[in-house]
Amino acid sequence: MTLLSLRSAVSATASIAAIMGVMAVTAAPTSARADEGMWTFDNFPIQTVNDKYGTRIDQAWLDRVRNASVRIQGCSASFVSEEGLILTNWHCVVGCVQELSSPGNDYVKNGWMPASREEEKRCPGQTAEVLVDIVDVTDRVLAAGAGLEGAAFNAARTAETNTVQTEACAGDGKFNCQVISFYRGGRFALYKFRRYDDVRLVFAPENQAAFFGGDPDNFNFPRYALDAGFLRAYEDGEPVESPGFLRWNPNAPAEGDPVFVAGNPGSTSRLLTMSQLERLRDQQLPLTLIQNSELRGRLLEYSLTGDEAKRISFDPIFGLENTFKAQYGQHQSLLDPAFLGARRDAETELRGRVAADPTLVQRIGDPWAELEGVQATARELFLSVRQLEQAAGGGSTLYQMARTLVRASKNTSMTEAQRARMATALGAETPISTDMEEIRLRYWLSKTREYLTVDNAEVKAMLGRESPEALAERLISGTRMADAAFRAQAAAMTTAQLAEADPLLAFIIANDAAATAIGARWAAEVNAPTARAAEKVAQARFAVYGTNQYPDATFSPRLSYGRVEGWSYRGVTVPAFTRMGGLYERATGAEPFNAAQAFLDNESRVNKETVYNFSSTNDIIGGNSGSPVINAAGEVIGTAFDGNIHSLGGAYGYDGALNRTVSVSTAAVTEALRNIYPNPRLLEELGVR
Amino acid sequence: MTLLSLRSAVSATASIAAIMGVMAVTAAPTSARADEGMWTFDNFPIQTVNDKYGTRIDQAWLDRVRNASVRIQGCSASFVSEEGLILTNWHCVVGCVQELSSPGNDYVKNGWMPASREEEKRCPGQTAEVLVDIVDVTDRVLAAGAGLEGAAFNAARTAETNTVQTEACAGDGKFNCQVISFYRGGRFALYKFRRYDDVRLVFAPENQAAFFGGDPDNFNFPRYALDAGFLRAYEDGEPVESPGFLRWNPNAPAEGDPVFVAGNPGSTSRLLTMSQLERLRDQQLPLTLIQNSELRGRLLEYSLTGDEAKRISFDPIFGLENTFKAQYGQHQSLLDPAFLGARRDAETELRGRVAADPTLVQRIGDPWAELEGVQATARELFLSVRQLEQAAGGGSTLYQMARTLVRASKNTSMTEAQRARMATALGAETPISTDMEEIRLRYWLSKTREYLTVDNAEVKAMLGRESPEALAERLISGTRMADAAFRAQAAAMTTAQLAEADPLLAFIIANDAAATAIGARWAAEVNAPTARAAEKVAQARFAVYGTNQYPDATFSPRLSYGRVEGWSYRGVTVPAFTRMGGLYERATGAEPFNAAQAFLDNESRVNKETVYNFSSTNDIIGGNSGSPVINAAGEVIGTAFDGNIHSLGGAYGYDGALNRTVSVSTAAVTEALRNIYPNPRLLEELGVR
């Protein structure tokens, strides 16, 4: 799960959610076998784990871990000192590193390691959140949608959800209150997060240390990656106090040791019905893979045009290749007859047990058939809603910001405070590459024309008499949206004023009615009936299998358990550990298998026996990147940064024999801070002698 | 079926054949309904057609059409004057146009229209072939393979096939003798072609005239494309005599008129078994689409780097986008439950009828089950055989030529004459773009590493300590293979000398054992058992349904029948004709919807009522491009250049309600030669007053 770099993380998460067409979350599996499960902190199988691993987990242990666990944009993290120091992955902070860089100061390449705390720099837009309270609000949310359908159902639900959130946070900006749907609508809970919005970059190694092996090694193991970085949360200009931090253990675990991963798995689809999975397999994933491949080719070719192009495109390519590989793996699992057959059998069993119980049939009807009907609608609308709304702009940052402005200008229910927050957010300085923006926009326009066809009314309206290439060039070269001051100012404009002020805004405004219309149809005709039917499936599962289940991932705090372990596949056994010396053996000198300069310079100092990366049976998925890996004593012993190739099917199911979490050990981070990137200041703060 | 531009045609055809993993051809459909069928000239349903359309087709009519029909590289064509003048599509000659062009003389953009016959220039490597004899050799071929399996079966079949061909042509270079498998091994025939290998370019319009609408309009209708071009066959420096040519009818047909298309459909898979289709759907097509998309992105981005890059990449992008769209359509048809369900029903019926006949069971066994077993092997080997052998080089021309040299140097059974022919072919001057070669090679190397993984032994051997990018750069910048004189000289070298002489040759030699080994496994473990089982399926079909069937396409001469007709889909009716005036209405001025300069300059002269393109119910597929469209009187009234979007499923089945052939009318070509690209010389030769 080198899943999510910081910035692409946000959009990746958003687009995954959009792609899934999922408002709610998933129902739980038949039964939690092996080390399966991304458990909520209020329903962790304490007894099961203690029995299996001889640990002594209790509620107090869980609370400590929860209070030290941090959610950041698209990733996970943890407090590791009492002064707000946060451990996460390098790839979760590289977006920030890139934003702090410039043509002359390439911190992505050279690493970011300020000598003093005063030089720690703020990461634009970065927040850190700690879950402090969970309140069940299932009854309120279900009551709000009762008896309603389509757009009315969505509106009632959204209104009630907003009310719950507003009441709970009471306008206090130090908190973020979020109603989250679990078990695909089986349960709704208010999650209250303590929120820090001044988060600064403390340490990032050279990209070649963190990203050694690049895309070819991504989702593979053995690995040799120092995919770790540090942030620090500040408030009122001072580091926050974080007394409940996880103690840093500089020693590696042993094979078989029980380990816990606390983080925010982004999205799983383990309890989608067969008809939903088949649509993903036959329509959504292939189309997404094909389009992403073309964009990948465009970006790769662009990256070869010069050093600056290479620098600028590093993070976007990294994010795209990561998303591509994850989705490719997901698609492969859905194409595997054995894998899908097991899902089919499980569904048949559940449906059979429901059918055998007249009361249950009476209560829930046949949501599987309902969802099958919804898929026909989804197939019909998918291309349009994807091209015109969900994936509109092709990942262009300027387009995204411009659309935010346009939609806000038309939103009469937005408060002054909300508008001010938007102005602040949009007014933040952020480096924009005109080249990358233009590539993305023309890619999106040309694919939209290709898939919706030239004679489609929306396509005609978008392109007029221009080509995708000429239109993209005109909009990007003409827009003022790259100017932060203009964006802040534009936040106060009316729709008409926006259209006057800027060609990109004018373009979006001209085509926004069509985009919002197809988005509204999707919400009413796909999302709403999906949510209603999925709730019934969840109720069936609770009725048949009880509540000892974990919900599908929802990018909210979860805990998984497991042990340090390698695996065997087709006669090949992969050991659980790699050692730092292995890096030097694997390095060829050619990208992306060139060792980082500091690793080469300090080779004689490095203890090559140090455990570098390790694999464990924990059940995680994209969004878990940066999660602390915790031993039974509650100490941090690593940070999870990837899954093995088999874990990609984890979107749809967990296989205890093959799915593995891949982490960088605190032992390796400690060794690096001692002998590769010497940093006594951080070592002292981590309590390492 | 803007399927095949001249050069990409050759490789596209080759790679399609390779992709299909098909040695033999297909069994015939249950029954020929509607206007279905790509019939051989010796089994045309004369009575059916005459009854349905009131025509008076007879064997003499068929012979005349066959003698005027021409097979060229990757395309079809026809003689249209008694002095060797050949009509085909512009997109079938654009490869030649591009080869005759240079940075200062861009005939692709400006058109090729020499004032005199003396200025007609030879198209390098271009041949023209006319089918003159068909001999059934089924018994000989079947006997050769009897009782054998795997590699021995392949070897015996190949040897016998070579013997038949050698005997028939008796070393006469004016003929090409080819044993072709029909009905996927149900029948084998020797096709003897009269061959012309001096073919010159006579006329090609501006690309914007021929390719108006570009990729967005490809496989769509209504269309406004002057996709026509002329070649001329020469022998001994003089135009060949072609008294059996098709007379040029400068008038458009009427709606409902019966029309015939004579050409060389490349490949269909209408009678693959379900297990074969499922592997295509789940493995081969998705992988191919994904990889081609990335290459497409790379080429598109490259094409934007400058005018020369755009010029050079025009034809490759065109070919790639065309292949992509065709395969995308094929994949969509296999993902359509109704479409595949019909195929499944047909298979179930045939298997049921076989099972009900003990004699038949005795004779053919269960080839469907055998083919299912073969698919498991194919799934296992596919990625390796594709990356290391079938798609090796990623379309690099230099790689392809170098591999030819390497394999020839190791081939001890090659005759001196064959070696001399190879030297002549490889020694021909051909423009090579270093940029394009490098893009293709690094794309191939990086995808091979991605799909086979870094730790794969073959990948390690290929890359050594280099990156795909650095290796591609080193091989392409260092190779002498772009020098025609060197290539001719290299044809006489030993393998060791080749390895000495050139880094690209050395690279191929170093990795060739692995490539040929996986290729041999594929041939023995996939192709051979597929051929044997497919023959049995074909025998079952003959036994159950009789011989009134057409075989799958094999890029050999066929005739299809139908009528001029539009179609209706989802309430939208598409008329059968477009008029030349429509071009001016559709033109936006932006690529690819900008009208050609000569069309703009001569707008006032053009008769806008002239029928431009028309659709008909003929059953064709890629390879049919350039086919003459013939009326009942045996006159040419157009040249087929495309199918509509529904015809893409034609790879797997024909739907008479929706599948359409799209042709440019001789009326429009005549109008263009009169008033847009005035050419009295050609008009006179065509007999137009």
Side-chain angles (χ1 to χ4, degrees):
Chain A
M1 193 139 349
T2 304
L3 175 74
L4 305 164
S5 69
L6 204 65
R7 281 179 317 146
S8 52
V10 180
S11 55
T13 309
S15 74
I16 287 168
I19 280 166
M20 295 302 175
V22 164
M23 277 184 56
V25 208
T26 3
T30 311
S31 67
R33 305 140 304 173
D35 294 337
E36 178 171 352
M38 303 163 181
W39 300 88
T40 52
F41 276 91
D42 57 355
N43 191 31
F44 189 75
I46 296 176
Q47 199 56 50
T48 305
V49 174
N50 286 341
D51 289 349
K52 180 167 182 182
Y53 288 113
T55 48
R56 284 185 291 182
I57 307 304
D58 56 18
Q59 193 57 47
W61 188 99
L62 292 174
D63 290 345
R64 275 197 306 277
V65 168
R66 175 177 49 71
N67 277 314
S69 298
V70 177
R71 183 170 77 167
I72 60 178
Q73 270 69 9
C75 279
S76 302
S78 58
F79 282 120
V80 291
S81 87
E82 61 191 349
E83 294 180 293
L85 188 66
I86 293 172
L87 169 69
T88 185
N89 293 152
W90 168 85
H91 81 262
C92 293
V93 303
V94 64
C96 172
V97 181
Q98 183 137 348
E99 291 198 44
L100 297 179
S101 298
S102 58
N105 291 297
D106 188 349
Y107 301 116
V108 175
K109 187 172 170 210
N110 303 320
W112 171 270
M113 35 201 83
S116 70
R117 197 171 284 182
E118 288 64 38
E119 292 164 89
E120 294 171 1
K121 283 239 184 88
R122 188 166 179 171
C123 291
Q126 181 72 62
T127 62
E129 299 179 314
V130 176
L131 175 61
V132 292
D133 199 18
I134 301 176
V135 180
D136 190 297
V137 294
T138 309
D139 291 347
R140 282 187 68 171
V141 174
L142 290 186
L148 300 175
E149 289 195 8
F153 171 84
N154 288 341
R157 278 286 178 88
T158 303
E160 182 64 11
T161 296
N162 285 340
T163 305
V164 171
Q165 292 173 170
T166 307
E167 285 172 7
C169 268
D172 187 342
K174 288 186 172 172
F175 291 91
N176 174 21
C177 293
Q178 190 185 3
V179 172
I180 301 175
S181 164
F182 294 94
Y183 306 95
R184 300 209 168 263
R187 186 186 166 216
F188 292 85
L190 168 72
Y191 269 42
K192 187 170 182 179
F193 295 90
R194 179 69 167 88
R195 177 193 172 101
Y196 304 98
D197 58 11
D198 178 357
V199 178
R200 305 188 190 176
L201 186 62
V202 174
F203 175 84
E206 298 164 271
N207 62 351
Q208 262 316 117
F211 198 44
F212 178 82
D215 177 66
D217 263 1
N218 192 13
F219 294 111
N220 284 325
F221 197 76
R223 284 289 281 285
Y224 304 87
L226 192 70
D227 197 349
F230 292 97
L231 298 167
R232 191 186 304 279
Y234 282 74
E235 207 159 43
D236 303 325
E238 297 295 326
V240 304
E241 289 175 20
S242 48
F245 70 97
L246 298 175
R247 291 208 176 274
W248 184 268
N249 183 333
N251 303 311
E255 186 141 8
D257 277 2
V259 283
F260 301 83
V261 173
N264 304 278
S267 173
T268 54
S269 307
R270 295 191 181 171
L271 292 151
L272 293 185
T273 61
M274 286 305 295
S275 66
Q276 291 177 298
L277 291 175
E278 283 163 357
R279 194 185 70 79
L280 290 181
R281 180 194 66 189
D282 294 344
Q283 185 184 45
Q284 195 155 299
L285 281 168
L287 192 278
T288 306
L289 286 166
I290 285 170
Q291 285 205 11
N292 280 349
S293 280
E294 185 181 321
L295 180 59
R296 183 184 186 186
R298 290 178 185 241
L299 295 182
L300 284 172
E301 193 60 30
Y302 169 73
S303 76
L304 295 168
T305 57
D307 286 348
E308 182 59 4
K310 186 176 173 182
R311 189 186 74 77
I312 286 168
S313 60
F314 178 83
D315 186 34
I317 289 175
F318 168 24
L320 183 63
E321 290 190 330
N322 184 60
T323 299
F324 173 82
K325 205 167 194 173
Q327 293 181 331
Y328 181 81
Q330 290 166 19
H331 193 219
Q332 291 303 110
S333 72
L334 292 182
L335 289 170
D336 177 350
F339 188 93
L340 211 64
R343 293 289 312 260
R344 186 174 287 111
D345 293 346
E347 180 165 309
T348 303
E349 194 209 292
L350 179 60
R351 294 180 74 165
R353 295 197 40 188
V354 170
D357 179 345
T359 328
L360 207 47
V361 172
Q362 172 84 19
R363 203 172 104 212
I364 70 152
D366 188 352
W368 294 274
E370 287 167 30
L371 285 166
E372 206 171 313
V374 173
Q375 298 324 301
T377 310
R379 278 177 201 264
E380 187 75 25
L381 299 181
F382 174 67
L383 278 181
S384 291
V385 78
R386 183 184 195 280
Q387 296 305 127
L388 301 177
E389 176 67 5
Q390 293 170 349
S396 153
T397 305
L398 296 179
Y399 182 95
Q400 209 62 35
M401 294 192 297
R403 193 171 71 173
T404 301
L405 283 171
V406 169
R407 300 251 163 118
S409 77
K410 297 198 274 188
N411 183 348
T412 51
S413 65
M414 215 169 161
T415 64
E416 277 316 299
Q418 285 171 325
R419 218 170 280 278
R421 269 204 298 283
M422 180 185 77
T424 306
L426 290 176
E429 288 290 347
T430 182
I432 302 280
S433 155
T434 307
D435 286 353
M436 295 290 294
E437 291 291 305
E438 206 178 309
I439 290 172
R440 288 178 179 279
L441 210 59
R442 70 172 174 248
Y443 150 77
W444 164 60
L445 290 167
S446 73
K447 292 306 100 177
T448 300
R449 180 178 69 181
E450 178 173 335
Y451 285 90
L452 304 188
T453 80
V454 177
D455 296 304
N456 172 280
E458 282 78 29
V459 171
K460 279 186 177 166
M462 283 204 297
L463 292 178
R465 298 178 77 85
E466 289 176 289
S467 70
E469 294 75 22
L471 177 55
E473 201 277 332
R474 178 172 69 77
L475 295 179
I476 297 299
S477 69
T479 187
R480 298 157 68 194
M481 284 295 297
D483 173 4
F486 172 75
R487 294 195 301 264
Q489 185 189 335
M493 292 184 189
T494 64
T495 309
Q497 287 169 328
L498 292 173
E500 267 307 272
D502 188 89
L504 179 59
L505 288 161
F507 170 81
I508 291 173
I509 290 165
N511 296 286
D512 202 46
T516 51
I518 187 74
R521 279 195 67 188
W522 184 265
E525 298 174 38
V526 177
N527 289 347
T530 297
R532 290 182 61 88
E535 282 167 16
K536 289 188 242 165
V537 174
Q539 286 158 19
R541 302 188 67 81
F542 286 139
V544 171
Y545 301 118
T547 56
N548 185 22
Q549 302 175 32
Y550 65 91
D552 255 333
T554 51
F555 198 54
S556 57
R558 303 293 179 89
L559 188 65
S560 78
Y561 63 94
R563 75 169 100 206
V564 175
E565 197 171 275
W567 75 96
S568 295
Y569 182 66
R570 292 192 177 172
V572 177
T573 295
V574 181
F577 297 109
T578 62
R579 311 264 165 190
M580 290 185 86
L583 169 83
Y584 295 97
E585 291 160 28
R586 192 168 179 80
T588 62
E591 281 190 1
F593 292 95
N594 48 329
Q597 194 56 47
F599 274 70
L600 294 174
D601 293 345
N602 297 292
E603 180 173 354
S604 64
R605 289 194 192 83
V606 173
N607 175 358
K608 294 188 175 173
E609 290 307 307
T610 309
V611 165
Y612 201 166
N613 297 163
F614 63 91
S615 73
S616 61
T617 61
N618 301 73
D619 185 8
I620 66 171
I621 199 130
N624 264 118
S625 281
S627 295
V629 185
I630 301 164
N631 63 15
E635 299 163 331
V636 61
I637 55 164
T639 174
F641 71 95
D642 206 356
N644 66 354
I645 198 82
H646 307 287
S647 76
L648 291 171
Y652 307 110
Y654 173 87
D655 178 350
L658 293 173
N659 284 41
R660 291 294 177 272
T661 291
V662 173
S663 304
V664 54
S665 72
T666 47
V669 177
T670 304
E671 182 66 15
L673 294 176
R674 269 195 187 119
N675 292 319
I676 299 170
Y677 305 106
N679 202 320
R681 165 169 93 91
L682 276 186
L683 285 175
E684 191 186 355
E685 184 168 358
L686 293 169
V688 177
R689 285 154 216 288
Chain B
M1 194 140 345
T2 304
L3 176 74
L4 305 163
S5 70
L6 204 64
R7 281 177 318 143
S8 52
V10 179
S11 56
T13 308
S15 74
I16 286 169
I19 279 166
M20 294 303 174
V22 165
M23 276 184 56
V25 211
T26 6
T30 310
S31 67
R33 305 138 303 174
D35 294 337
E36 178 171 352
M38 303 165 181
W39 301 87
T40 53
F41 276 91
D42 57 355
N43 190 32
F44 189 76
I46 296 175
Q47 199 56 50
T48 305
V49 174
N50 286 341
D51 288 351
K52 180 166 182 181
Y53 288 112
T55 49
R56 284 186 292 182
I57 307 305
D58 56 17
Q59 194 56 47
W61 188 99
L62 292 173
D63 291 346
R64 275 197 305 277
V65 167
R66 176 176 50 70
N67 277 313
S69 297
V70 176
R71 182 170 78 168
I72 60 177
Q73 269 68 11
C75 279
S76 302
S78 58
F79 283 119
V80 291
S81 88
E82 60 192 349
E83 294 181 294
L85 187 66
I86 293 172
L87 169 69
T88 185
N89 293 151
W90 168 86
H91 81 262
C92 294
V93 303
V94 64
C96 172
V97 180
Q98 183 136 349
E99 293 197 43
L100 297 179
S101 297
S102 58
N105 291 297
D106 189 349
Y107 301 115
V108 175
K109 187 172 170 208
N110 303 319
W112 171 270
M113 34 202 82
S116 71
R117 197 170 285 183
E118 288 62 39
E119 293 163 89
E120 296 171 1
K121 283 241 184 87
R122 188 165 178 171
C123 292
Q126 181 71 61
T127 62
E129 300 178 315
V130 177
L131 175 61
V132 293
D133 198 18
I134 301 177
V135 181
D136 191 297
V137 294
T138 309
D139 292 345
R140 281 186 68 172
V141 174
L142 290 186
L148 300 175
E149 288 197 7
F153 171 85
N154 288 340
R157 278 286 180 87
T158 304
E160 182 64 13
T161 296
N162 285 339
T163 305
V164 171
Q165 290 173 170
T166 307
E167 285 173 9
C169 268
D172 187 342
K174 288 187 170 169
F175 292 91
N176 174 22
C177 293
Q178 189 185 4
V179 172
I180 301 176
S181 165
F182 294 94
Y183 306 96
R184 300 208 167 263
R187 186 188 166 216
F188 293 85
L190 169 72
Y191 270 41
K192 187 171 183 180
F193 295 90
R194 178 70 164 89
R195 176 193 174 101
Y196 305 98
D197 58 11
D198 178 357
V199 179
R200 305 188 190 177
L201 186 62
V202 174
F203 175 85
E206 298 163 273
N207 62 351
Q208 263 316 118
F211 198 43
F212 178 82
D215 177 66
D217 262 3
N218 191 15
F219 294 110
N220 284 324
F221 197 76
R223 285 288 281 285
Y224 303 87
L226 192 70
D227 197 349
F230 291 97
L231 298 166
R232 190 186 305 278
Y234 282 74
E235 208 159 42
D236 303 325
E238 295 296 326
V240 304
E241 288 175 21
S242 48
F245 70 97
L246 298 175
R247 292 209 176 273
W248 186 268
N249 183 332
N251 302 312
E255 185 140 10
D257 277 3
V259 281
F260 302 83
V261 173
N264 304 280
S267 174
T268 54
S269 307
R270 295 190 182 173
L271 291 152
L272 293 186
T273 62
M274 286 306 293
S275 66
Q276 291 177 297
L277 292 175
E278 282 163 358
R279 194 185 71 77
L280 290 181
R281 180 194 65 189
D282 294 343
Q283 184 184 45
Q284 196 156 298
L285 282 168
L287 193 277
T288 306
L289 287 166
I290 285 171
Q291 286 205 12
N292 280 349
S293 280
E294 184 181 322
L295 180 59
R296 183 184 186 186
R298 290 177 185 241
L299 296 182
L300 284 171
E301 193 60 31
Y302 169 73
S303 76
L304 295 168
T305 58
D307 286 349
E308 181 59 4
K310 185 176 175 184
R311 188 186 74 77
I312 287 169
S313 60
F314 177 84
D315 185 34
I317 289 175
F318 167 25
L320 182 64
E321 290 190 330
N322 184 60
T323 300
F324 174 82
K325 205 166 194 176
Q327 293 182 331
Y328 182 81
Q330 290 166 18
H331 193 219
Q332 291 303 111
S333 73
L334 292 183
L335 289 171
D336 177 349
F339 188 94
L340 211 63
R343 292 291 310 261
R344 187 173 287 113
D345 292 347
E347 181 165 308
T348 304
E349 192 207 294
L350 178 59
R351 293 180 74 165
R353 294 194 45 184
V354 169
D357 179 344
T359 327
L360 207 47
V361 171
Q362 172 84 18
R363 203 174 104 213
I364 71 151
D366 188 352
W368 295 274
E370 287 167 30
L371 286 166
E372 205 170 314
V374 172
Q375 297 324 301
T377 310
R379 278 178 200 262
E380 187 75 24
L381 299 181
F382 174 66
L383 278 181
S384 290
V385 79
R386 182 183 196 281
Q387 295 305 127
L388 300 177
E389 177 66 7
Q390 292 170 350
S396 152
T397 305
L398 295 178
Y399 182 97
Q400 208 63 33
M401 294 192 297
R403 193 171 70 173
T404 301
L405 284 170
V406 169
R407 300 253 162 118
S409 77
K410 298 198 275 187
N411 184 348
T412 52
S413 65
M414 215 168 160
T415 65
E416 279 314 300
Q418 286 171 324
R419 218 170 281 278
R421 269 204 298 282
M422 180 184 77
T424 308
L426 290 176
E429 289 290 348
T430 181
I432 301 282
S433 154
T434 306
D435 286 353
M436 296 289 294
E437 291 292 304
E438 208 180 307
I439 290 172
R440 288 178 179 277
L441 210 59
R442 71 173 174 246
Y443 149 77
W444 165 60
L445 289 168
S446 72
K447 292 306 101 178
T448 301
R449 181 178 69 182
E450 178 173 335
Y451 285 90
L452 303 190
T453 80
V454 176
D455 297 303
N456 172 281
E458 282 78 28
V459 171
K460 279 185 176 167
M462 283 203 299
L463 293 179
R465 299 179 75 86
E466 289 176 288
S467 69
E469 294 75 22
L471 177 57
E473 201 276 332
R474 179 172 68 79
L475 295 180
I476 297 301
S477 69
T479 187
R480 298 156 68 193
M481 284 294 298
D483 172 5
F486 171 75
R487 293 195 300 264
Q489 186 189 333
M493 292 184 189
T494 64
T495 309
Q497 287 170 329
L498 291 174
E500 266 308 271
D502 188 89
L504 180 58
L505 289 161
F507 170 81
I508 291 173
I509 289 164
N511 296 287
D512 203 45
T516 51
I518 187 74
R521 280 195 67 188
W522 184 266
E525 298 175 36
V526 177
N527 289 348
T530 297
R532 289 183 61 88
E535 281 167 15
K536 289 188 244 166
V537 174
Q539 286 159 18
R541 302 188 66 81
F542 286 138
V544 172
Y545 301 119
T547 57
N548 185 21
Q549 303 173 33
Y550 65 93
D552 254 333
T554 51
F555 197 55
S556 58
R558 304 292 179 88
L559 188 65
S560 78
Y561 63 93
R563 74 169 100 207
V564 175
E565 197 171 277
W567 74 95
S568 294
Y569 182 64
R570 292 193 177 170
V572 177
T573 295
V574 180
F577 298 109
T578 63
R579 311 266 166 189
M580 291 186 85
L583 169 83
Y584 296 96
E585 291 159 28
R586 192 166 178 82
T588 62
E591 282 191 2
F593 292 95
N594 48 329
Q597 195 56 46
F599 274 70
L600 294 174
D601 293 346
N602 297 292
E603 180 172 356
S604 64
R605 288 193 193 83
V606 174
N607 174 359
K608 295 189 174 173
E609 290 307 308
T610 309
V611 165
Y612 201 167
N613 297 163
F614 63 90
S615 72
S616 61
T617 61
N618 301 72
D619 186 8
I620 67 170
I621 199 132
N624 263 117
S625 282
S627 294
V629 184
I630 302 164
N631 63 15
E635 300 164 329
V636 60
I637 56 165
T639 175
F641 71 96
D642 206 357
N644 66 354
I645 198 82
H646 307 287
S647 76
L648 290 171
Y652 307 110
Y654 173 87
D655 178 351
L658 293 172
N659 284 41
R660 292 295 177 272
T661 291
V662 173
S663 305
V664 54
S665 72
T666 48
V669 177
T670 305
E671 182 66 15
L673 294 176
R674 269 195 188 117
N675 292 320
I676 299 170
Y677 305 106
N679 202 321
R681 163 171 94 91
L682 276 186
L683 285 174
E684 192 185 354
E685 184 169 357
L686 292 168
V688 178
R689 284 151 217 288

